[in-house]
Structure formats: C-alpha cells, structure tokens
Amino acid sequence: MPSRGDDSLIRDSLISDLRALVGERGILTAASDIEPYLSDWRGLYHGQSPCVLRPADTQQLADAMKLLASRQVAVVPQGGNTSMVGGAMPDESGRQVVLSLARMNRIRDIDPVDMTMVAEAGVILKAAQDAAAEAGCLFPLSLGAEGSATIGGVLSTNAGGNTTVRYGNARELMLGLEVVLPDGQVWNGLRRLRKDNTGYALRQLFVGAEGTLGIITAAVLRLVARPRAREVAFCAVPDLAAALGLFRRFRDRDEASLQAFEYMSGTGVGLVLKHIPGTALPLAEAADHYVLVDLASPRPDAGLRTLIEAVLGEALEAGEVLDAAIAESTAQIQALWRLREEHSESQKLAGASVKNDVSVPVSRVPDLIRLATAAAERLMPGIRAVPFGHMGDGNIHMNFVQPEAMAPAAFLARSHDLMDQVNAVVRSLDGSFSAEHGIGRLKPDMLADWRAGAEFELMQRLKAAIDPAGLMNPGKVFEIPRS
Amino acid sequence: MPSRGDDSLIRDSLISDLRALVGERGILTAASDIEPYLSDWRGLYHGQSPCVLRPADTQQLADAMKLLASRQVAVVPQGGNTSMVGGAMPDESGRQVVLSLARMNRIRDIDPVDMTMVAEAGVILKAAQDAAAEAGCLFPLSLGAEGSATIGGVLSTNAGGNTTVRYGNARELMLGLEVVLPDGQVWNGLRRLRKDNTGYALRQLFVGAEGTLGIITAAVLRLVARPRAREVAFCAVPDLAAALGLFRRFRDRDEASLQAFEYMSGTGVGLVLKHIPGTALPLAEAADHYVLVDLASPRPDAGLRTLIEAVLGEALEAGEVLDAAIAESTAQIQALWRLREEHSESQKLAGASVKNDVSVPVSRVPDLIRLATAAAERLMPGIRAVPFGHMGDGNIHMNFVQPEAMAPAAFLARSHDLMDQVNAVVRSLDGSFSAEHGIGRLKPDMLADWRAGAEFELMQRLKAAIDPAGLMNPGKVFEIPRS
C-alpha cells in the first residue's frame, strides 16, 4: 500500500504531465480555483479532485484521456454543473479528476439549409438557442437551467424540459456526435444525415449515458423553423380528468402546434402567488387544478387564436374548463409562464420539500397525482402536495412541501418514506422513477432495483465492453463494485 | 470432424427437441415448406436451413433460443422477407436456422389516450397502419413494402420511407421494446413513456441492429393525430437548386405540414410515362426536374390550399417553379403519387439497372445528383441517370438504367464500377452509403471500410458483448470472421 508521501508524488507527476498536454490554462490546481467544481448546486454532494482539467479542444482532451487511462485515473466530466442527481460530482477520495468542458464552447458551424448546428460540448444551451435564432431558426430544447447547462450535459443526460411534447428530448434533436472514448480514441460521428443506416446506433448509446461510456465533445444538433405565431392560455379545470381531456382536445386538433401543456395544482399556484412578488392569478376565482397551454407555429396565418378559442370554448361547454385567460401580449405570456416557472422557488420559500421526478403513461397522470397525493397524506397529515409539470409527456414533478407546523428537519427525516410511497404508485402505473433527471450519484440503487434482470445485466455488459477499467464517471448510473 | 451421418443425426435431434418446445405448427421441415424462406425477393441470395422456426409467442421463442444457444446453432430472424440487402437470408451451409416471426402477429394493445400501440414483431406494417386508423389515429411509417414488411423488420432495420421528413424513421416512432436476447433471456422493455432516463438506451441499440444482437419480439409504437386536410402538388422545376429552394420555402412556412417532398428526374418520369399504362403527365410540358409536395394536417381548417397556392405562386414568380398541378381529389392525389411510386417498376421494364440507396446532407442533394450523374456518364456514355426519392431528408435513390443499345449483362458487369463512382461522390459530400436499406449481407465490406477505426471497433465490441458466440444473424452487418 502506498504511503501518503507516495500519493502526493504520484499526484504531482500526474499534474505535471497533464499540464504538458493541455497547457497552463488547461489545468486548475489551486484549491480556491477547484472549489466551485466540487459541489453540486443542490448541495447534495461535495467531492475532491487533485486538479480540474479544462482542455481547449478535442485533441487536448483526447491526449489527456490517454494519459489518464494509462495511469488508471478516473475522470468526472462536468458541463454547467446543473445536475439534479449529482451526476458531475467527483467522490471524496481526491483521486478522480474533474474534466470541465467549459472552454470547448465554439459553435463550429450553423447551416440554415441543413437546419443543423455543430456545437462543442461546452456551449451553453442558451447560447445555442441564441445562435439558432440569429440564423433564423429555433433550437427547441428549453429547460430551467438553460443559462448554465451545456450541450454536452444536456446530451449526456438526455435532457427533456417543457417542449418534449412537441420536439422530443435532447436525443431527438441530435443527428451526430464526436466522442472521446475511454482509451483516448476520438470517434468522429458528426454526420448531419437524417437517414444513415450503417451499423449500430452508437450515438444513441452515448446520449443519456451520463459520461460513463465516454466524453461527448461536440454534436450535430437539429434546428427547426422559427415560430411566427403564438398563443398561450392559463386555464382553471375542475379535476385531473378534465386536465387530461383538455390535453387530448388540443393534441387531437393540431398536435404540431402544441409546444407545451403544463399541469399545476391549486396548492402549487397558491404558493407561487403567496411567495413570489409580482405574480397574480389571471382568473376571477382560484381553483384546485390549472393547466398552461402553449401553442406556436411558423405560420403567421396559422389561425392559432381561432384554434385556442374554439378548443377552450368547446371545453367550457363540456365542463372541462372552468375559466381561462388568453395572453394578449408577450408580457402577458411571460406572466402566465411565471406562474409555472416559479413553482420550485416558491416551494423552497414555503419550507422543506421532497422532489420526485417521475413519469407515467400520459393516460395515467391523473391516477399518479391522485394516488401519490393520497398516499403522502396518509403518511403525514397536513403535508402539501404540489405536483406540477409536463402533463403532455407524462412527466410530473410529484413534489411535497412540509406541513406548516412541522420542523423542516423532522419532515426531511421522512423523505425516504415519502419517496417510497410515490415510487410504489409510479411502479404500479408502469412508470419511471427518473423521467428527465437521470441516475447520477443519487439513484444507482434504484436503477439496480427497478431494472433488475436482463436489462440491468445488459447495461453492465455494455459498460464493461466500452469502459473495461471503469474509469469513466465512476459511481454514476452504477454503484461502484465493492472490491 | 463429424461425418455426414453425424451431421444428419445432430440435425434430427435438434429438430425433435425444437418441436417439443414450439409444437408441430411452430416448425417447418419439409423442403417445399421451407423453400419460400430461403430466397430474398430481389433474387440476390439463396440459402439453406435445416428447418424454419415459427414460434407462437415470446415464451416459445425464448425457449427455442435457449436450446439453440446451448447447441451453438446460429439464428436468422425473418419478418416479411423484404430486405433490399439480403438481411434475412441464411447462408448456404444449411446450419443456420431461419426464425420466422410471422405467427407472432397480435396487436396486443392500442391506446388512443397514450397514442400508443403494442404490436408483436410479426404484425405487417399495413395491418399496424390499419389498426391505428381504426382507433382514429395515424401510424405514419410508410414505405413501398408495407403490405409485407413487419414491425420487427422495420424496427430491426430502422426503416425510413416517404414520411421521414416529417415523422422520422422507425426509431423515432418506437417507445419501447420486448427483446429475446441471444441466451434466451427475455427483456421486457415495453414501456410507454415519453420520458424515461433510467440508464443506457438499450432499445435504441436493437433498432437498426438487423437482428445481430437479439430478436425484437414486440414494440410500443407511437401514434400521431390523424390528418383531416391534405394537399398534393406535382411541380416542374428548372434545375436542382430550384428543387431545393422549393423545399426550403415549404419547410420554412410550415414544416409540420410537410409530410413528403420527393424529387424525380425528367428521365425517370419519362420512363414511368412510357412504360406504365394509365399514367399521364399532369403538366402541359415535360421538364428535366420534378418534385412532388405532400402537405397534411389534423386541422380541417389548416388552410393548406391557401398555403400551397401561396408558396407555389411565390416560387413561380421567383422562377423556382415552371409549372405545377394541384390535386383536386383523392383520385388525383393517387395519380400524382403514382408517377413517383412507379419509378422502380418502370426502371425494371426499361432494362438492367443499378441502385444506390445513399444520403447526403439536404444542402448537398443537388451536388450529389449532378456529380454522380456526370461521373456515370463519363464512365458510360448513353447511361440513363434516374435519381429520385426523399429530397426532404437527403436520401436519394441514385439509380442508373442501362444505355438503350447495350446488352443488360454487359451493363451489369460494370455495376461495381458505377457504384464506386457514386460512392466516391457520396463520400466527398459527407454522405452515407446506406441511407435506409441497412447493411445486411450486401454491404458488410463497405461498413468495415467507411466506418473503419474507433467507430467500427466499437461496433465489434458491442457485438462481442451482447452476442459473444456470434450466433445472431451471422454474416449480416459484419463479415463472418475467417476461422
């Protein structure tokens, strides 16, 4: 067993050899410089790392990966560090090197004929959206962390967000990848083809692999036509079945214009109105259930106003909608969306909360919300269920805020019991325990449990085939095998 | 080395053991019964098989796979046997067992709320389309062989077709899979979730793997809203750039309504008019280039007629369209589509032909057609270039018909030279040598060449990890290693 002194020598030699490959700007070693990379923003984890690598380009990264592989040093890739599940955190050993993609932030190419963008992994999602807009197009992936999250991160986690119902997850918006493999080989799969049936779909494997199979360094992204018409409505509905019914009405009428369909509970909207300054209910009376409908089209003459009024009118008549407000300006659109987007913040201000990022088949969303709420209330009278999210794709953030009189710590002590209750409901409805946040460091035990058998074995076999030494983002997706 | 008699005993024992698992109806052994399974419809290959397995359900199939694995017998899955590349043909050894999915043809479930269908592998594509229509929905995958091709086959080859420009390939229309693995384990991944980030995207790996990693036995398919408005136009355009320009106009105006955008050459349409009875040019004058535009929307009030007239009017004014005919009835829509769909048949009637199923980035389609045509004409004066196909997704069938005076055999003797010319052009334009037909038995050498290096190595590693004994559809995708 090496002594403390040996460790230190190995570390110094590693850093010096890495510096020779990536240059002075490509490596951080001072504790104060490294610190920001060692904690996740939710405050769930705090790790250690001998240095942070910040290569300038794919070749530097590949050279560094070769060196790290030869020394058997593990690598933890990090983009915008916005993981909800600790997916970009090193462990506490101080032996895992954090690899930041932040400096690889060039948009290499944007083509309004092919409707593609070639972006490096470190490009911030918002910057990609802006570049697409400048080229007269739309890059439709949109989520809360878009000001920090990076293209490498959203692909490695197959991020979802508000527009999945229309455009799919990150996976569906990707045509090609460049990946540095665990041994430092570069795979250039930056093809911008809509049809290419030549062997196994490798690019699909790296999307959502959370950096455990290799490092995504660049991607060909799909762009779509820029919307030129938009209509947004905020609706009170009598019950969960009516919310689903309203979704079906819009989807059936014109699914291509339906950019988002978001559910909110009366409790959740109430917390927003109470805790977030400047928010107001756009309806005369409060209700137990709300939905936000967002329609858009590249056609200025798409008749979206007629459509939204017609569908809401029919739904009012059928008793599926109690009241609705249609935004008359961009400012009003933003105000309506704010009622949805401030849900997380208002929950934080209301006390301790427990979050569940779950999904079920769309038809089971009412059951999910009803059964999970009932189970939580049985467990803990006074608990405030605040489910909200992407009803149109079956992904509900099944969150709970502590009872008003309870101590936060006492509430959080029960969080596993609560999650177990929710997950039992999700399982009974053929749902998923991680809809869009992934596994990271938080849920490997659940993956092993929920996907046990042929599926989990197959995943392990793929991991062993591509990263036999287990050096890629260890402890994420899979628990580290005890030696 | 076993003698002929040993072989025969082993074969008899295998058949008897298989029969015990799948029943009398689950196995064909008479030569005349087996014969239809041993030739592909293009007539490229003729193989041998000791028997044809036709299991009734997943359990029977899994039991048979376990037995075959234990005896080290290779398996060749077969759906509708419509592969363009011999993907479902056994070799000539007589040792590979053909596994027909034909009896597994139940639609297990169809749900118009979730907009999903659970179909077994043997369901014929047309039957899936019909079932979706009966439920008031659309299953949009559409291709020439849809009357024979099966769900297992279209998923295993990631089939494309006419509507990829709008709905994507088979991959994009699949939410979950049930797969029997090479060792006979059943993986039930029939989840109907739009968001499910729980580990590696296994289902993506089996789609397009051409049965070399396992047997897809059932799938959750995505349905979309049924179109209620449609407009189809047949247009003469002055040149290839104008064809691309017209595509961009429609896509930019309303990409969601653009169901298909097909290119045809003047030569190709001329062959259709000459050889196919009952066809007629809907325009006053013949041209060198044509396109077919197909718009559809679930909204009866989508204003598609206004849209198509406006875009064609602008394009006429800009000189991008010479003349156009808009269909006024379903019969006229069919007549316009017939000019496109009879391309293969008319080429066959015009003499010997060489086919290239290639793709390039959409922006390079004009270059592809121009350069490949020029190269072929240099090689063989008098050759008739008849490129046609899915301009909107970059997939052109770059076909050539023999010079009129040439003997077919003499022409076909040059087919490899011709294909090499086309492929050199495709490669220079960052395209693919197999856009939608896959690799099969026809193109493993090209896969090894075009994808050489990290990509091909990775594919081999996946194959070895999932099918270590190499028993799944050997000789497809990869060449059989020489022992």
Side-chain angles (χ1 to χ4, degrees):
Chain A
M1 185 181 280
S3 74
R4 187 90 194 150
D6 289 340
D7 256 21
S8 178
L9 283 175
I10 290 169
R11 177 181 170 279
D12 290 349
S13 140
L14 176 71
I15 287 174
S16 139
D17 291 346
L18 285 170
R19 184 177 283 120
L21 295 175
V22 299
E24 199 59 51
R25 290 189 58 208
I27 190 164
L28 305 176
T29 54
S32 59
D33 292 339
I34 297 179
E35 191 54 35
Y37 298 85
L38 302 182
S39 298
D40 70 307
W41 74 274
R42 287 188 69 185
L44 298 176
Y45 300 100
H46 186 82
Q48 298 296 332
S49 183
C51 60
V52 173
L53 272 181
R54 292 164 47 94
D57 57 37
T58 304
Q59 192 53 55
Q60 281 191 3
L61 196 159
D63 291 343
M65 291 283 289
K66 273 198 191 86
L67 179 71
L68 292 166
S70 73
R71 308 268 171 100
Q72 295 280 298
V73 176
V75 177
V76 178
Q78 190 175 104
N81 196 11
T82 60
S83 173
M84 299 290 284
V85 290
M89 281 299 105
D91 70 7
E92 293 72 33
S93 71
R95 294 165 182 269
Q96 301 180 341
V97 167
V98 171
L99 168 65
S100 166
L101 282 296
R103 286 178 70 209
M104 294 181 58
N105 62 354
R106 288 182 312 141
I107 291 174
R108 294 187 191 168
D109 179 82
I110 184 158
D111 189 322
V113 184
D114 288 332
M115 298 288 268
T116 53
M117 175 191 298
V118 184
E120 291 184 344
V123 171
I124 287 171
L125 175 52
K126 183 71 171 57
Q129 293 168 351
D130 291 348
E134 266 172 52
C137 307
L138 174 73
F139 181 58
L141 191 71
S142 170
L143 40 87
E146 63 195 25
S148 309
T150 59
I151 293 302
V154 298
L155 288 171
S156 291
T157 59
N158 188 29
N162 298 332
T163 58
T164 300
V165 67
R166 170 66 181 98
Y167 295 107
N169 277 16
R171 177 184 305 289
E172 280 84 33
L173 298 168
M174 173 273 315
L175 288 176
L177 292 181
E178 178 186 84
V179 175
V180 175
L181 300 173
D183 61 4
Q185 280 193 89
V186 179
W187 166 46
N188 183 338
L190 289 174
R191 298 194 279 272
R192 57 183 76 189
L193 302 171
R194 284 293 296 267
K195 283 182 173 167
D196 175 32
N197 282 344
T198 52
Y200 301 151
L202 298 183
R203 67 186 193 283
Q204 300 289 351
L205 198 55
F206 290 101
V207 172
E210 304 187 23
T212 63
L213 299 176
I215 312 289
I216 294 174
T217 49
V220 181
L221 304 174
R222 277 184 56 201
L223 307 179
V224 301
R226 180 170 56 91
R228 297 188 191 85
R230 193 171 179 199
E231 297 291 343
V232 174
F234 187 90
C235 315
V237 297
D239 51 40
L240 291 160
L244 182 62
L246 188 59
F247 169 66
R248 292 184 65 186
R249 284 180 193 272
F250 278 106
R251 184 182 62 183
D252 190 53
R253 193 69 64 98
D254 187 24
E255 63 184 352
S257 71
L258 193 54
Q259 312 292 293
F261 192 95
E262 298 283 307
Y263 170 81
M264 290 153 280
S265 68
T267 309
V269 170
L271 291 180
V272 171
L273 297 172
K274 180 174 172 190
H275 292 287
I276 308 293
T279 56
L281 189 71
L283 309 172
E285 284 180 47
D288 288 339
H289 307 276
Y290 300 99
V291 296
L292 187 150
V293 185
D294 194 335
L295 306 184
S297 168
R299 290 176 64 186
D301 61 343
L304 295 186
R305 175 54 74 115
T306 312
L307 190 154
I308 203 167
E309 286 177 349
V311 173
L312 290 176
E314 290 161 25
L316 268 163
E317 199 151 317
E320 253 175 28
V321 165
L322 301 173
D323 194 8
I326 302 177
E328 298 291 347
S329 66
T330 306
Q332 286 188 9
I333 288 178
Q334 285 167 348
L336 296 186
W337 262 105
R338 210 164 159 225
L339 294 172
R340 159 66 183 83
E341 280 169 347
E342 295 287 3
H343 261 62
S344 291
E345 185 62 21
S346 68
Q347 287 170 24
K348 197 189 277 185
L349 296 169
S353 64
V354 169
K355 296 171 193 282
N356 295 279
D357 167 47
V358 298
S359 63
V360 292
V362 174
S363 61
R364 316 306 291 271
V365 168
D367 289 342
L368 165 69
I369 295 175
R370 192 172 46 78
L371 294 171
T373 300
E377 286 173 348
R378 268 197 307 277
L379 192 73
M380 198 186 295
I383 195 170
R384 289 169 287 175
V386 282
F388 68 98
H390 321 299
M391 186 165 204
D393 57 41
N395 172 203
I396 295 293
H397 300 292
M398 194 66 229
N399 293 4
F400 297 96
V401 174
Q402 61 168 84
E404 299 210 45
M406 201 171 192
F411 176 72
L412 290 176
R414 307 289 304 274
S415 59
H416 276 282
D417 295 341
L418 265 171
M419 288 192 268
D420 287 348
Q421 294 285 334
V422 171
N423 283 323
V425 170
V426 170
R427 214 156 177 164
S428 75
L429 299 172
D430 296 325
S432 170
F433 65 95
S434 190
E436 54 181 12
H437 296 165
I439 306 301
R441 264 177 84 171
L442 193 60
K443 299 182 177 175
D445 59 326
M446 294 181 72
L447 184 73
D449 175 26
W450 286 58
R451 304 292 177 241
E455 183 165 358
F456 192 68
E457 269 176 48
L458 210 45
M459 289 188 199
Q460 289 179 304
R461 243 191 277 178
L462 294 178
K463 170 74 173 171
I466 300 179
D467 177 28
L471 297 175
M472 302 304 304
N473 212 7
K476 318 306 173 351
V477 180
F478 304 104
E479 288 177 307
I480 295 182
R482 287 155 202 249
S483 51
Chain B
M1 183 180 279
S3 74
R4 187 91 194 147
D6 289 340
D7 256 20
S8 177
L9 283 176
I10 290 169
R11 177 181 170 280
D12 289 349
S13 140
L14 176 71
I15 287 175
S16 138
D17 291 347
L18 284 170
R19 183 177 285 122
L21 295 174
V22 299
E24 200 58 52
R25 290 189 57 208
I27 188 164
L28 305 177
T29 54
S32 59
D33 291 339
I34 297 178
E35 191 53 37
Y37 297 85
L38 303 181
S39 298
D40 70 307
W41 73 274
R42 286 188 70 184
L44 298 176
Y45 301 100
H46 187 82
Q48 298 297 332
S49 182
C51 61
V52 172
L53 273 181
R54 293 165 45 94
D57 57 37
T58 304
Q59 193 54 53
Q60 281 191 3
L61 196 160
D63 291 344
M65 291 285 288
K66 273 199 192 89
L67 179 71
L68 293 167
S70 74
R71 307 267 172 101
Q72 294 281 298
V73 175
V75 177
V76 178
Q78 191 175 104
N81 196 12
T82 61
S83 173
M84 299 290 283
V85 291
M89 281 299 104
D91 69 7
E92 293 72 33
S93 71
R95 292 166 184 270
Q96 301 179 341
V97 168
V98 171
L99 169 65
S100 166
L101 282 296
R103 286 177 70 209
M104 293 179 59
N105 62 354
R106 287 182 313 142
I107 291 175
R108 293 187 191 167
D109 179 82
I110 185 158
D111 189 322
V113 183
D114 289 331
M115 297 288 265
T116 53
M117 175 191 299
V118 183
E120 291 184 343
V123 171
I124 287 171
L125 175 51
K126 183 70 171 56
Q129 293 168 351
D130 291 346
E134 265 172 54
C137 308
L138 174 73
F139 181 59
L141 190 71
S142 170
L143 40 86
E146 61 196 27
S148 310
T150 59
I151 293 302
V154 298
L155 287 171
S156 292
T157 59
N158 188 28
N162 298 332
T163 58
T164 300
V165 67
R166 171 65 182 96
Y167 296 106
N169 278 15
R171 178 185 305 289
E172 279 85 32
L173 298 169
M174 172 275 314
L175 288 177
L177 292 182
E178 178 187 85
V179 175
V180 175
L181 300 173
D183 62 3
Q185 280 193 88
V186 179
W187 167 46
N188 183 339
L190 290 175
R191 298 194 279 272
R192 57 184 76 188
L193 302 172
R194 284 293 294 267
K195 283 181 173 167
D196 176 32
N197 282 344
T198 52
Y200 300 151
L202 298 184
R203 67 186 191 283
Q204 301 289 351
L205 198 56
F206 291 101
V207 172
E210 305 187 21
T212 63
L213 298 177
I215 312 290
I216 294 174
T217 49
V220 181
L221 304 174
R222 278 184 56 202
L223 307 179
V224 301
R226 181 171 56 91
R228 297 188 191 87
R230 192 171 180 199
E231 296 292 342
V232 174
F234 187 90
C235 314
V237 297
D239 52 38
L240 291 161
L244 182 62
L246 188 60
F247 170 66
R248 292 184 65 186
R249 284 179 194 273
F250 278 106
R251 184 183 60 183
D252 190 52
R253 193 69 65 98
D254 187 23
E255 65 186 350
S257 70
L258 191 54
Q259 310 294 292
F261 191 95
E262 298 283 309
Y263 170 81
M264 290 153 280
S265 68
T267 308
V269 170
L271 291 181
V272 172
L273 296 173
K274 180 173 172 191
H275 292 287
I276 307 294
T279 56
L281 189 69
L283 308 173
E285 283 180 49
D288 288 339
H289 306 276
Y290 299 100
V291 297
L292 187 150
V293 186
D294 194 333
L295 306 183
S297 169
R299 290 175 64 188
D301 62 343
L304 295 187
R305 175 53 74 111
T306 312
L307 190 154
I308 202 166
E309 285 177 349
V311 172
L312 290 175
E314 289 162 25
L316 268 163
E317 200 152 316
E320 253 174 30
V321 164
L322 301 173
D323 194 7
I326 303 177
E328 298 289 348
S329 65
T330 307
Q332 285 188 9
I333 288 178
Q334 285 167 349
L336 297 186
W337 262 106
R338 210 164 160 225
L339 295 171
R340 159 65 183 82
E341 281 170 346
E342 294 288 1
H343 262 61
S344 292
E345 185 62 20
S346 68
Q347 287 169 24
K348 197 189 277 184
L349 296 170
S353 64
V354 169
K355 297 170 191 283
N356 295 280
D357 167 47
V358 298
S359 64
V360 291
V362 175
S363 61
R364 316 306 292 271
V365 168
D367 289 343
L368 165 69
I369 294 176
R370 192 172 46 78
L371 294 171
T373 300
E377 286 171 348
R378 270 197 306 277
L379 192 75
M380 198 185 294
I383 195 170
R384 289 169 287 176
V386 281
F388 68 97
H390 321 300
M391 187 165 204
D393 58 40
N395 173 202
I396 295 293
H397 299 292
M398 195 65 230
N399 293 4
F400 297 97
V401 174
Q402 61 167 83
E404 298 210 46
M406 200 171 192
F411 176 73
L412 290 175
R414 308 289 303 274
S415 59
H416 276 281
D417 294 342
L418 265 170
M419 287 193 266
D420 287 349
Q421 293 285 335
V422 171
N423 283 322
V425 171
V426 170
R427 213 156 178 164
S428 75
L429 298 172
D430 296 325
S432 170
F433 65 95
S434 190
E436 55 180 11
H437 296 165
I439 306 301
R441 265 177 83 170
L442 193 61
K443 299 183 178 176
D445 58 327
M446 296 182 70
L447 184 74
D449 175 26
W450 285 56
R451 303 291 177 243
E455 182 164 356
F456 191 68
E457 268 177 47
L458 209 45
M459 289 187 199
Q460 289 179 304
R461 242 190 279 176
L462 294 178
K463 171 73 173 173
I466 300 178
D467 177 28
L471 296 176
M472 303 303 304
N473 213 6
K476 318 305 174 351
V477 181
F478 305 104
E479 287 176 308
I480 294 182
R482 286 156 203 248
S483 52

